[in-house]
Amino acid sequence: MTVTPSSAAPANGQRPVAAIDIGTNSIHLLVAAVDPGLRSFSVVLTEKSATRLGERDPDTGDLSPEAIERAFLTLRHCRELAASHGVELGDILTAATSAVREAPNGREFLQSVQEQLGLEVDLISGPEEARLIYLGVLSGMAFGEQPHLILDIGGGSTELILADGRDARALTSTRVGAVRLQRDFVSEDPLSPKRRQFLRAFIQGSLEPAVLKVKERLEPGEVPVLVGTSGTAMAIAAMAAAEDPRPPLRMQGYRLSRERLDGLVARLLEMTPEQRRAHPALNERRAEIIVPGALVLQTAMAMLGARELVISERALREGLIVDWMLRKGLIVDRFAFQSSIRQRTVLHQVQRYGVDLPRAERVAGYALSLYSQSHGILHHDDGSGRQLLWAAAMLHSCGQHINLSAYHKHSWYLIRHGDLLGYAESEHLMVAAIARYHRRSLPKKRHEAWQLLEAREQRRTVAELALLLRLAVALDRRPQATVAGIQVRPEGDHGLLIRLEPMTADADLSLERWSLQACAAVVREAVGVELRVAEPALPARRA
């Protein structure tokens, strides 16, 4: 049994909801805190237990008595754990997939679950499973304007979905999965070359209708992003990440090339069961079924012509939560929900760490105003850093949640180790670093925050945007707003003049001007620009 707490219990105003996924290999529980105001949710706790429902009676195909007993124990535990987090029985969303769907006694099992545990279980079809997986991935990954192919390799089936931020174009489900293949075709371990060839041919033949369907739905010239979800993809990615010089803290957004995958699969095929179980990235149950699962992943990538796989930690369970929110009217426009992932995840962190929201929004407004007016002088960003600057500005003071002293370092830690959905791993590191360097010293080679930024362009962007954030924070010295606007213009070849606009005609901006001018030495050192702060402009005439 694996339990992963992801955040504190639901706060006031948030509604606890749970999702249970009764899969072929495992039963998964997710407890979420749904925020009606943000129209979003955060994960409170995740748990899984290997119940092995897919190991059915070889003669009848029924769920075995042993598997049913394991499932009942796990489901009872899930129900009690959800209740301990304040989830009402009616808000435990439970779905059963291929193992129960195909077993002759599957419906009888679900009837017993409802009678004995009070859990109402939806027996979902393959396409419905694909739809829910799409919703789950949609809740945690920014699709932008690019179509995405979502590949979910489960124990009994593989779902392949073609989707964009607006809707799913194709939902497919194929009866090929890691547990099913292991049970039906793996009688020797390691596999002989002949058996490997057979398995690859079988997988290819099984996946072909789904692959053809999604390819037909692609527009000419579209190059989709391949997203991998659930156990097999996560385990393979974890094996790759363990070999990285700096392994990521989480797998969300992790990228795995086709070349690395091919190398990992080749090694797995040669390993004995004991060697696989000894691998730190594989638990005992995953080690048993990883080879057929890896062959499905490798074959699918080859058939789709994908050169890279992006990992999503979200899938069916999160999809159940999103679907519940859609049915409750908490999400009306699915596209608007998807397009605001970055904003919602940042606001969740603002709320979580008790950040003063009005002041954070004020600082973010100043920072973005400076960004727009100082391009080519204080920064040379192509526009992609604007959202990173906004996120860092909103979260720059979250470290005060720990301690006021050196809070910028605490902010870096909290952002670095928190969830920023919709941001790639490199972007996540950049947001944390921008917040880290908004005060005190400039970046130094020995700093961990700086070392984690591997690309030179990333370091340049962080250094420049952190400078803008430093100036924005300098303008926010009082609890109440005094600066209504900022005017920026170049002076000569290497100068910059900033003029502040007061909120009212009698407002005294001497503190803000002094604070801003105090940044001049850092600006000079960082970008070689002489900063001068002019007398305040007259307040803008308001209607």
Side-chain angles (χ1 to χ4, degrees), residues 412-439:
W412 174 82
Y413 180 87
L414 292 177
I415 297 170
R416 169 78 178 96
H417 292 267
D419 288 328
L420 283 189
L421 301 175
Y423 291 86
E425 173 73 8
S426 59
E427 294 175 320
H428 193 155
L429 292 171
M430 291 171 73
V431 171
I434 292 167
R436 161 71 172 83
Y437 294 113
H438 84 271
R439 66 194 294 260

Side-chain angles (χ1 to χ4, degrees), residues 100-121:
V100 180
R101 190 164 63 222
E102 296 168 15
N105 63 341
R107 294 185 181 277
E108 180 183 334
F109 164 69
L110 297 185
Q111 182 66 31
S112 298
V113 169
Q114 183 170 5
E115 291 173 355
Q116 297 181 39
L117 301 179
L119 293 174
E120 189 171 336
V121 185

Side-chain angles (χ1 to χ4, degrees), residues 369-385:
S369 179
L370 289 165
Y371 178 92
S372 299
Q373 297 183 67
S374 65
H375 184 267
I377 306 171
L378 294 182
H379 75 93
H380 300 81
D381 183 65
D382 61 3
S384 59

Side-chain angles (χ1 to χ4, degrees), residues 112-180:
S112 298
V113 169
Q114 183 170 5
E115 291 173 355
Q116 297 181 39
L117 301 179
L119 293 174
E120 189 171 336
V121 185
D122 288 330
L123 185 59
I124 59 176
S125 66
E128 175 64 5
E129 184 176 354
R131 184 186 74 87
L132 291 168
I133 291 166
Y134 160 63
L135 290 178
V137 174
L138 195 70
S139 73
M141 183 174 285
F143 281 25
E145 297 300 318
Q146 197 169 8
H148 283 53
L149 281 169
I150 302 167
L151 180 67
D152 186 290
I153 303 168
S157 64
T158 292
E159 280 64 49
L160 181 62
I161 303 114
L162 174 63
D164 52 38
R166 291 173 174 82
D167 207 351
R169 302 186 198 174
L171 299 167
T172 74
S173 181
T174 303
R175 292 179 61 178
V176 60
V179 172
R180 189 192 298 271

Side-chain angles (χ1 to χ4, degrees), residues 170-210:
L171 299 167
T172 74
S173 181
T174 303
R175 292 179 61 178
V176 60
V179 172
R180 189 192 298 271
L181 291 172
Q182 179 74 23
R183 180 192 66 205
D184 294 346
F185 300 114
V186 178
S187 57
E188 52 184 347
D189 198 355
L191 294 171
S192 66
K194 184 177 180 180
R195 204 59 175 169
R196 298 175 196 175
Q197 185 178 0
F198 168 80
L199 262 180
R200 284 194 169 103
F202 179 84
I203 293 166
Q204 183 171 340
S206 300
L207 292 178
E208 192 168 17

Side-chain angles (χ1 to χ4, degrees), residues 305-374:
R307 304 307 311 170
E308 185 179 60
L309 179 75
V310 183
I311 297 297
S312 168
E313 293 182 336
R314 294 194 167 194
L316 176 61
R317 296 177 301 285
E318 291 80 6
L320 287 168
I321 302 294
V322 174
D323 187 60
W324 180 87
M325 294 173 68
L326 284 164
R327 288 186 279 109
K328 295 292 183 181
L330 296 177
I331 303 171
V332 178
D333 185 340
R334 197 184 323 179
F335 177 60
F337 170 78
Q338 211 284 324
S339 64
S340 62
I341 284 173
R342 291 187 170 200
Q343 290 84 355
R344 286 185 285 106
T345 193
V346 169
L347 290 173
H348 267 304
Q349 299 303 319
V350 165
Q351 185 180 74
R352 180 181 181 186
Y353 296 120
V355 172
D356 186 326
L357 181 59
R359 294 193 71 171
E361 290 177 330
R362 204 154 61 224
V363 170
Y366 296 151
L368 295 181
S369 179
L370 289 165
Y371 178 92
S372 299
Q373 297 183 67
S374 65

Side-chain angles (χ1 to χ4, degrees), residues 83 119 258 266 402 445 472:
L119 293 174
R258 171 85 178 279
I402 298 176
K445 291 182 179 179

